[in-house]
């Protein structure tokens, strides 16, 4: 088998001492920056890029990849423990993960996140190795109309399945979409809703919103109720998952891996959609769905697996087409070009060491992450026992540093403050932040694809129903909407939610 | 900072830095004595960032002090450029000036840009320039600009993808439309990557792109190079005819250079110019640029300043014609 020969070659490259060392360094740095709120992989990789100049290209890219998925992984730690999502994907993890932590199951949440990620990462790595070029064709078959319909489906489902009042959640989705409209219009270059503030011309910062609405708002809320604080620090709970939790997590991880592997191939929206998609799916089909909103383990296991699978398969467009799927990948392309390697369709043949070495190191990196993180869970959970008068100020300081480091601009810090206050008000009014963030992330992409599809079709909206992929997505979205609007189904949903709390 | 630094360079960098910190202000004669900040007005990962990192590594070695790349993206590269225009003219803050920040964006953001791309900077050196290339999907049936013109005049018109509205690639589409007398259907994307993917997938038949982001795909044959917008044929792609050869009087380069705040002492500017030109003329650097389809710059500070001035005058009317102003 070619595949096994190639993988064996890859492992022989990845298992050299130097490459192992740099993979390890990358994973450690990645985990660390993932844990530190706000400091993302883009800032870190751009800072560390000069280090890699002195190393062979394969080593450099192995380290950068380690930072990338290490950060994905570390991000879930703060999301679970402190309600601080650093990235789009970890927004979903806060929903059930933080609730689990409050119930004293932080250890179990972290463990399932680690194991689920490792499993999903392993499966996705094999997928990349076995059928990367084939999957490229799937990505290429998605046109603007199909992307639009996929995003619309995501928004509709997130509104339909949100907790509490449907009107409120639709309102938050719409508000999120409007926030996403701020900035320079991609098609015409016009400024929209920027009020003459140059910093807003590239839009409102995601990290500012996520940190403000979740982390900072949560801190303000906790200051309000001293009793809740003491409950949490008193109850750290057992670190290991119970047998029951494990049984519930397994199917969620399997579903999450499937969803993530598929969506990760689509550049741009794919990785963001994967964890939302998996969360929504678990909420609908898992055995523990009645517990959602109260710390259901499926709500951590599924999205974490999906997110990790997607971050592996998102390498496919980069490795087979030479087209970076996100900013981190773009930086890796930069690193390769500086090394004198032109990433592109011929990289598999021209640079087999690099290609197969990277794939093998992905798996080794995932294993390392597991080994690094499992023993650390006990330490992370102890963090919750730190008195709040020390912890809150330090979280605020780290948030401020992290947000500032994104653009080296104080404006982002002010933005975070504004969204912190707004997030607090939303909590008081029982308005959910998650649908707003989904709207914020998906809205602009949806608009972009909508307008591009219309430009290409010369203004003919039929393109959305003529293309089979798009038509299927729209069909599912329509069914979901109708189901929500039908009174008896509505009643069932409300009852289910009331039961779930 | 960097492990790639040799110990000698580190020593050379740190000792003068200690001395200088005791003195009130670094003298031009003692320059450079502390780390130099190179502001990139774009996010990490783009071509500007890439060129900046190559230059930073080269200057670091030649000047013996750290050259730190700092990304300050936003508002069509004007935020970072404004920051440098207002920085102290002491030779320790530089900007990677480029066709966006110093020619096109000042026209696009004409009411909001608070710097003059010519007079608020001491322009140092042109680092590299890349021609624009028009590529097509191999199955689109476009091999020459005549084919493209025929499609544009035909019933459905011609879709042309670019890396974004207001980019030099977009303005090329506008100029081509003016020459053809028929409007091309401009399809902007967020960056060259997604646009190229749409062309390879056949969703858009044609793209106006900077050469570096197209090189690998042209070599692979996943897209066909139809015309190159340089004065002569490009040495790396001698088989690709120019726009002029095909009867369209168009030439357009995207370019990247080094600039400092106006008032930076002339000896510092001269030294930076010398080191930059020497660095980009190194065979291995030339080869690196050539792989990407770029030509290293070889202009004096005055030459580069004139060049920027010409570019500003060239692009402003086109921005107007494209309706791409942001106010």
């Amino acid at each position: 088998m070619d595949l096994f020969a190639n993988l064996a070659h890859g492992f022989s490259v990845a298992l050299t001492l130097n490459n192992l060392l740099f993979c390890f360094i990358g994973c450690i740095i990645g985990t660390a920056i993932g844990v530190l709120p706000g400091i993302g992989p883009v800032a870190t990789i751009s800072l560390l890029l000069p280090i890699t100049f002195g190393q062979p290209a394969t080593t450099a890219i192995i380290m950068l990849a380690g930072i990338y998925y290490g950060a994905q992984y570390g991000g879930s730690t703060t999301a679970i423990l402190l309600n601080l999502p650093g990235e789009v994907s970890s927004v979903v993890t806060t929903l059930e993960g933080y609730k689990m932590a409050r119930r004293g199951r932080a250890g179990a949440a972290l463990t399932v996140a680690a194991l689920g990620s490792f499993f999903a990462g392993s499966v996705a790595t094999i997928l990349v190795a076995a059928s990367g070029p084939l999957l490229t064709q799937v990505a290429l078959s998605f046109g603007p109309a199909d992307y639009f319909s996929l995003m619309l489906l995501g928004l509709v489902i997130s509104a339909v399945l949100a907790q509490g009042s449907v009107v409120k959640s639709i309102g938050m989705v719409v508000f999120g979409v409007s926030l996403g409209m701020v900035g320079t219009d991609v098609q015409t270059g016009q400024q929209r809703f920027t009020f003459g503030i140059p910093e807003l011309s590239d839009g409102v910062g995601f990290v500012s919103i996520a940190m403000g609405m979740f982390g900072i708002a949560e801190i303000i809320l906790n200051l309000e109720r001293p009793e809740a604080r003491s409950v949490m620090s008193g109850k750290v709970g057992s670190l290991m998952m119970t047998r029951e939790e494990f049984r519930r997590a397994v199917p969620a991880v399997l579903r999450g891996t499937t969803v993530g592997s598929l969506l990760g191939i689509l550049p741009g929206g794919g990785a963001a959609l994967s964890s939302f998609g998996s969360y929504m799916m678990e909420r609908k089909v898992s055995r523990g769905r009645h517990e959602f909103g109260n710390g259901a383990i499926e709500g951590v296991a599924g999205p974490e697996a999906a997110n990790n699978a997607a971050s592996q398969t998102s390498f496919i467009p980069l490795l087979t087409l030479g087209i970076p799927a996100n900013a981190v990948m773009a930086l890796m392309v930069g690193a390769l070009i500086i090394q004198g390697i032109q990433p592109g369709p011929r990289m598999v043949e021209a640079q087999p060491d690099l290609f197969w070495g990277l794939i093998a190191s992905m798996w080794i990196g995932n294993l390392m992450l597991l080994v690094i993180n499992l023993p650390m869970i006990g330490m992370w959970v102890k963090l919750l026992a730190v008195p709040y008068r020390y912890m809150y100020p330090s979280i605020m300081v780290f948030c401020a540093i992290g947000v500032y480091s994104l653009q080296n601009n104080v404006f982002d810090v002010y933005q975070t403050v504004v969204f912190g206050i707004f997030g607090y008000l939303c909590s008081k009014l029982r308005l959910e932040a998650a649908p707003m963030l989904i709207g914020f992330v998906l809205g602009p992409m949806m608009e972009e694809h909508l307008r591009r599809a219309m430009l290409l079709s010369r203004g003919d909206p039929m393109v959305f129903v003529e293309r089979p992929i798009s038509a299927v997505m729209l069909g599912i979205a329509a069914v979901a909407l109708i189901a929500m609007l039908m009174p008896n189904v509505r009643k069932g949903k409300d009852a289910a939610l009331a039961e779930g709390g | 900072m960097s492990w790639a630094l040799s110990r000698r360079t580190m020593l050379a960098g740190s000792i003068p830095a200690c001395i200088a910190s005791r003195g009130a202000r670094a003298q031009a004669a003692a320059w450079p004595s502390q780390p130099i900040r190179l502001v990139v007005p774009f996010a990490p990962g783009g071509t500007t960032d890439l060129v900046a990192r190559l230059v930073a590594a080269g200057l670091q070695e030649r000047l013996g002090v750290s050259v730190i790349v700092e990304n300050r993206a936003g508002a069509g590269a004007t935020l970072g450029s404004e920051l440098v225009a207002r920085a102290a003219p002491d030779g320790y803050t530089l900007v990677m000036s480029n066709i966006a920040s110093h020619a096109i964006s000042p026209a696009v953001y004409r009411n909001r840009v608070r710097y003059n791309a010519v007079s608020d900077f001491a322009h140092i050196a042109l680092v590299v320039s890349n021609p624009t290339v028009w590529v097509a999907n191999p199955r689109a049936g476009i091999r020459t600009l005549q084919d493209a013109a025929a499609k544009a005049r035909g019933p459905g018109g011609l879709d042309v993808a670019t890396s974004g509205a207001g980019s030099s690639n977009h303005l090329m589409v506008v100029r081509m439309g003016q020459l053809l007398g028929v409007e091309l259907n401009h399809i902007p994307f967020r960056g060259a990557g997604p646009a190229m993917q749409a062309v390879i997938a056949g969703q858009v038949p044609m793209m106006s792109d900077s050469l570096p982001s197209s090189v690998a795909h042209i070599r692979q044959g996943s897209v066909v190079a139809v015309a190159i917008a340089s004065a002569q044929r490009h040495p790396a792609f001698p088989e690709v005819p120019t726009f002029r050869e095909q009867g369209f009087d168009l030439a357009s380069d995207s370019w990247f250079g080094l600039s400092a705040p106006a008032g930076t002492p002339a000896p510092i500017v001269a030294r930076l110019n010398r080191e930059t030109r020497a660095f980009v003329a190194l065979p291995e650097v030339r080869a690196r640029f050539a792989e990407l389809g770029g030509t290293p710059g070889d202009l004096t500070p005055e030459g580069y300043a004139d060049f920027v001035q010409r570019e500003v005058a060239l692009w402003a009317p086109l921005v107007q014609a494209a309706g791409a102003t942001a106010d």
Side-chain angles (χ1 to χ4, degrees):
Chain A
M1 268 301 280
D2 251 10
L3 174 64
F4 290 113
N6 284 331
L7 273 179
H9 177 66
F11 275 102
S12 73
V13 172
L15 285 174
T16 59
L17 189 64
N18 197 38
N19 286 348
L20 271 180
L21 178 72
F22 275 87
C23 182
F24 181 71
I25 294 175
C27 288
I28 294 265
I29 295 176
T31 310
I33 58 157
V35 169
L36 291 173
I39 302 176
V42 178
T44 314
I45 293 184
S46 67
L47 214 71
L48 294 180
L49 214 52
I51 295 182
T52 65
F53 293 166
Q55 295 295 328
T58 309
T59 311
I61 208 82
I62 283 176
M63 184 178 112
L64 297 182
I67 296 180
Y68 173 60
Y69 43 73
Q72 300 277 340
Y73 184 88
S76 56
T77 308
T78 42
I80 290 171
L81 295 178
L82 305 171
N83 203 29
L84 266 180
E87 289 190 64
V88 183
S89 50
S90 38
V91 168
V92 178
T93 312
T94 61
L95 298 177
E96 300 304 316
Y98 184 63
K99 298 271 170 45
M100 281 183 77
R102 294 206 74 115
R103 283 200 295 121
R105 302 299 302 148
L110 289 172
T111 310
V112 79
L115 292 174
S117 296
F118 174 68
F119 174 78
S122 307
V123 172
T125 304
I126 295 169
L127 199 67
V128 173
S131 48
L134 207 73
L135 292 173
T136 311
Q137 290 309 312
V138 178
L140 285 180
S141 66
F142 263 70
D146 310 318
Y147 273 110
F148 166 77
S149 303
L150 176 70
M151 311 261 161
L152 185 71
L153 175 64
L155 281 187
V156 166
I157 290 190
S158 69
V160 170
L161 294 181
Q163 279 169 290
S165 153
V166 177
V167 176
K168 280 182 175 175
S169 66
I170 291 180
M172 287 305 266
V173 168
V174 171
F175 182 65
V177 172
S178 336
L179 267 183
M181 298 296 118
V182 174
T184 309
D185 175 25
V186 180
Q187 317 283 334
T188 62
Q190 293 291 317
Q191 304 286 299
R192 303 190 298 196
F193 312 113
T194 54
F195 304 103
I197 303 170
E199 279 85 356
L200 283 181
S201 65
D202 286 331
V204 184
F206 169 80
V207 175
S208 294
I209 296 188
M211 276 197 189
M213 297 292 289
F214 284 86
I216 308 288
E218 179 66 23
I219 290 178
I220 305 177
L221 275 173
N222 273 319
L223 290 176
E224 217 177 62
R225 28 171 217 244
E227 72 290 356
R229 277 183 275 163
S230 50
V231 168
M232 175 125 167
S233 52
K235 216 167 63 176
V236 163
S238 143
L239 297 186
M240 286 314 294
M241 287 191 282
T242 61
R243 189 177 292 269
E244 166 66 10
E245 281 172 332
F246 192 80
R247 244 204 330 268
R248 283 171 53 187
V250 168
V253 166
L254 290 176
R255 284 188 292 261
T257 306
T258 315
V259 170
S261 303
L262 293 179
L263 288 175
I265 303 162
L266 306 175
L273 267 174
S274 67
S275 48
F276 286 124
S278 163
Y279 181 77
M280 295 306 171
M281 188 168 178
E282 290 311 314
R283 193 152 172 172
K284 207 65 196 161
V285 306
S286 69
R287 275 204 294 141
R289 58 182 175 273
H290 57 278
E291 268 187 40
F292 270 70
N294 262 334
I297 195 159
E298 291 92 342
V300 180
E304 278 296 314
N307 165 32
N308 211 40
S311 67
Q312 312 286 330
T313 52
S314 65
F315 273 93
I316 289 178
L318 176 69
L319 292 174
T320 56
L321 290 179
I323 290 173
N326 55 40
V328 178
M329 306 274 166
L331 265 173
M332 289 190 198
V333 171
L336 287 177
I337 292 179
I338 287 179
Q339 298 267 7
I341 293 170
Q342 178 70 53
R346 280 192 310 189
M347 208 163 74
V348 187
E349 297 119 66
Q351 303 279 344
D353 279 13
L354 181 77
F355 184 84
W356 295 105
L358 174 62
I359 286 178
S361 85
M362 281 182 186
W363 187 78
I364 295 172
N366 273 291
L367 185 66
M368 276 186 184
L369 281 174
L370 193 68
V371 173
I372 297 169
N373 284 291
L374 275 183
M376 299 247 292
I377 289 176
M379 199 193 87
W380 289 127
V381 173
K382 281 210 193 73
L383 193 72
L384 291 180
V386 172
Y388 280 72
R389 63 179 179 281
Y390 300 126
M391 193 150 92
Y392 284 167
S394 10
I395 294 175
M396 299 281 236
V397 168
F398 276 120
C399 282
I401 295 173
V403 171
Y404 177 80
S405 74
L406 290 175
Q407 307 261 2
N408 299 320
N409 197 330
V410 196
F411 182 81
D412 290 320
V413 182
Y414 297 146
Q415 267 191 120
T416 314
V417 174
V418 171
F419 281 107
I421 296 167
F422 179 68
Y424 170 73
L425 293 176
C426 285
S427 283
K428 285 278 152 190
L429 296 169
R430 303 204 159 278
L431 292 166
E432 274 195 90
M436 183 185 121
L437 267 133
I438 302 173
F440 176 76
V441 173
L442 296 186
M445 294 193 218
M446 197 169 93
E447 187 214 2
E448 196 183 321
H449 292 298
L450 168 71
R451 291 172 65 182
R452 193 170 295 140
M454 296 295 276
L455 269 176
L456 285 169
S457 74
R458 305 289 183 282
D460 179 9
M462 290 308 285
V463 65
F464 295 104
V465 284
E466 278 162 3
R467 290 185 61 95
I469 303 177
S470 167
V472 170
M473 306 273 177
L474 287 182
I476 302 172
V479 169
L481 262 181
I482 292 167
M484 182 182 77
L485 295 173
M486 268 165 38
N488 53 339
V489 181
R490 269 298 307 282
K491 209 180 282 169
K493 172 183 182 301
D494 287 347
L497 283 173
E499 192 188 320
Chain B
M1 263 313 283
S2 157
W3 297 3
L5 268 180
S6 73
R7 189 173 296 160
R8 198 168 28 142
T9 334
M10 296 245 279
L11 280 176
S14 57
I15 294 173
C18 293
I19 301 168
S21 61
R22 249 174 261 159
R25 188 139 187 98
Q27 295 289 304
W31 184 93
S33 59
Q34 58 183 49
I36 296 171
R37 184 161 72 130
L38 175 55
V39 174
V40 173
F42 282 106
T47 316
T48 317
D49 183 61
L50 188 68
V51 173
R53 284 173 197 281
L54 269 172
V55 171
L59 286 181
Q60 180 156 305
E61 203 170 297
R62 294 173 159 267
L63 295 173
V65 293
S66 300
V67 179
I68 297 157
V69 173
E70 189 179 312
N71 297 90
R72 289 275 192 140
T78 60
L79 284 186
S81 308
E82 184 184 324
L83 181 97
V84 175
R86 291 196 185 156
D90 53 9
Y92 292 107
T93 308
L94 310 176
V95 63
M96 205 71 212
S97 45
N98 56 74
I99 189 167
S101 65
H102 282 72
I104 294 176
S105 291
V108 173
Y109 298 85
R110 57 186 169 182
N111 293 339
R112 223 163 302 136
V113 168
R114 283 168 289 198
Y115 61 85
N116 182 309
V118 178
S119 62
D120 284 343
F121 293 88
H123 292 292
I124 296 167
L126 178 66
V127 173
V128 65
S129 56
N130 319 288
T132 301
V133 62
W134 281 36
V135 296
N137 182 295
R139 294 181 304 281
I142 301 174
R143 302 283 149 165
T144 64
L145 286 178
Q146 304 308 327
D147 297 342
K151 269 219 164 21
R153 294 205 179 92
L158 177 65
D159 298 324
V160 185
T162 71
S163 56
S167 64
S168 58
N169 302 322
H170 170 205
L171 297 177
M172 274 290 289
V173 177
V174 175
R175 285 172 81 175
M176 190 64 188
Q178 289 171 343
L179 290 182
L180 282 175
V182 50
E183 201 171 328
L184 301 174
N185 196 19
H186 174 230
I187 317 282
F189 283 77
R190 260 184 219 277
M196 182 55 80
Q197 179 159 352
V199 174
I200 294 173
Q203 287 145 12
V204 187
M206 195 158 209
M207 173 173 177
S208 164
D209 196 13
S210 295
L211 193 50
S213 31
S214 284
V215 165
H217 305 284
I218 297 172
R219 293 214 171 108
Q220 163 75 10
S222 43
V223 294
V224 185
V226 174
I228 199 155
S230 46
Q232 285 93 36
R233 289 196 180 201
H234 196 276
F237 296 97
E239 72 288 356
V240 180
T242 65
F243 274 75
R244 288 205 178 115
E245 281 176 58
Q246 301 187 54
F248 298 92
D249 187 20
L250 278 179
S252 160
D253 279 338
S254 59
W255 44 269
F256 308 92
L258 273 185
S259 303
T264 304
I268 294 180
V269 171
R271 170 93 193 273
L272 278 168
N273 177 278
R274 211 161 56 235
E275 301 295 358
T276 308
R277 280 161 78 184
F279 172 69
V280 298
L282 291 177
E284 64 267 29
V285 179
R286 286 193 83 91
R288 192 67 49 84
F289 282 147
E291 266 168 51
L292 296 172
T295 316
D298 194 17
L299 293 177
T300 60
E302 299 74 34
Y304 183 41
D306 288 345
F307 175 80
V308 173
Q309 192 156 19
R310 279 200 306 276
E311 286 284 306
V312 170
L314 173 71
W315 291 105
L318 276 161
V319 172
Q320 298 290 338
T325 52
D327 45 40

